[in-house]
Amino acid sequence: MMAAGPEMRASDGDRDKVASVLREHYAQGRLTVEEFDERLERLYTSKTYGELATLTSDLPDVDLGRLPAASDRHPERREARDVRQAQQRGLTAMWATWATASGINWAIWLILGVTDGFDFPYPWPLWVMGPWGAVLLVTTFFAGLGDRRNR
């Protein structure tokens, strides 16, 4: 891997292999939890082979070419992670839509009250926010339970 030169750009597969090496060294007790977490954070922001090499430079050598790619060993974990991420993005989008619609309704309500001499009408935006928000809460709650069951 490193024969190509330290300035060469690394691929996701290269980063996965280095992550496997770091996990192995962590499992063998060479890295503390904090060191392991810090190196993983740096790993996924690394762009070149040289940056990847610095993450393992103080650890015993491991032939990265002999390690299977992480995606080859656990494809079901990657798929489950992708599904969880898509589900999280969907929930975030639903909450953002709810917040935007609620904000617009409250702004209209406020404008109506101010233009009517500060005689504010009945707080009708609650009828938009309440039921919709309740449905989102239940959806978010059950989506979270599903995540825990699938881990």
Side-chain angles (χ1 to χ4, degrees):
M1 178 172 120
M2 297 299 165
E7 69 283 346
M8 295 288 291
R9 304 238 352 151
S11 69
D12 288 340
D14 298 326
R15 282 183 278 279
D16 288 342
K17 287 180 181 181
V18 174
S20 296
V21 170
L22 291 174
R23 279 192 292 278
E24 183 62 30
H25 286 295
Y26 172 70
Q28 292 177 4
R30 290 188 182 100
L31 297 172
T32 65
V33 174
E34 294 82 18
E35 290 171 321
F36 178 68
D37 288 342
E38 176 188 323
R39 289 180 193 217
L40 279 182
E41 285 179 26
R42 288 179 30 213
L43 169 71
Y44 289 110
T45 60
S46 296
K47 292 182 177 56
T48 65
Y49 288 139
E51 291 172 349
L52 293 179
T54 61
L55 297 172
T56 58
S57 63
D58 63 335
L59 300 169
D61 286 339
V62 174
D63 185 3
L64 296 179
R66 292 185 181 196
L67 284 176
S71 60
D72 295 341
R73 291 180 297 155
H74 302 291
E76 66 280 352
R77 285 187 190 168
R78 178 167 282 179
E79 290 170 13
R81 184 181 67 227
D82 291 345
V83 168
R84 281 194 304 272
Q85 287 174 345
Q87 185 180 39
Q88 184 63 39
R89 283 191 302 269
L91 284 172
T92 302
M94 287 191 292
W95 278 107
T97 304
W98 174 84
T100 301
S102 298
I104 290 169
N105 279 288
W106 280 112
I108 293 169
W109 178 84
L110 184 66
I111 290 168
L112 290 173
V114 169
T115 58
D116 196 21
F118 292 96
D119 185 25
F120 291 97
Y122 178 78
W124 54 266
L126 292 174
W127 288 105
V128 175
M129 293 175 63
W132 190 2
V135 169
L136 283 177
L137 277 174
V138 170
T139 302
T140 303
F141 176 75
F142 283 111
L145 284 180
D147 275 354
R148 285 189 213 109
R149 273 189 249 127
N150 294 332
R151 285 184 189 176

